[in-house]
Amino acid sequence: MASASQNEQNDRHDAETKHTDSCRRSYWENFTHDAPAFILELKKLTGPITDIALAGGAAFGVGLLEPGLRIFITFFLFLHGRRMISFMRQIGERIAGARARRLLTVIGMTVKGVV
């Protein structure tokens, strides 16, 4: 059986809940006839949602862009790879002289080892 103090606490809680509900109801009922105030209130509520949506969209876009660029670059490496290698050898020999072939071999072995 509930004691008198528990009954009083339950009654107080019920009264607070009813007061809160009536305040909340009257708050939103004020907007039924005031469209500009309603729009301003909606803008306050949708601001954080908009920020989250923009951040999520940006992350999604970057997630699509990076693999797309990788595929694009890989296509041209497969298409013109031999020409690019000979071009890199010519540039390397102009810059490093005789050491260029050894440096390119070390670079190639490093890339193969990492991949």
Side-chain angles (χ1 to χ4, degrees):
M1 190 165 172
S3 68
S5 64
Q6 286 178 337
N7 285 336
E8 289 175 15
Q9 286 177 350
N10 288 339
D11 290 342
R12 252 188 277 138
H13 177 69
D14 291 342
E16 289 174 2
T17 304
K18 287 178 186 176
H19 176 70
T20 304
D21 288 345
S22 66
C23 287
R24 206 176 293 143
R25 189 176 302 116
S26 66
Y27 176 75
W28 286 107
E29 284 175 356
N30 288 336
F31 291 124
T32 57
H33 302 293
D34 192 6
F38 180 70
I39 291 172
L40 287 174
E41 189 66 25
L42 280 179
K43 285 183 180 180
K44 287 182 200 174
L45 296 173
T46 59
I49 294 171
T50 304
D51 295 340
I52 291 170
L54 284 174
F60 182 73
V62 168
L64 288 178
L65 184 65
E66 286 180 359
L69 285 173
R70 288 183 195 134
I71 291 169
F72 184 74
I73 291 169
T74 303
F75 169 75
F76 285 105
L77 286 176
F78 280 125
L79 187 64
H80 303 293
R82 294 189 192 277
R83 260 192 269 163
M84 289 176 68
I85 290 172
S86 67
F87 184 68
M88 289 301 294
R89 282 188 181 144
Q90 289 174 356
I91 291 175
E93 287 176 3
R94 287 182 188 170
I95 294 173
R99 294 181 59 192
R101 287 185 187 235
R102 184 179 181 291
L103 290 173
L104 287 173
T105 304
V106 170
I107 292 169
M109 290 173 27
T110 303
V111 169
K112 287 179 185 175
V114 171
V115 175

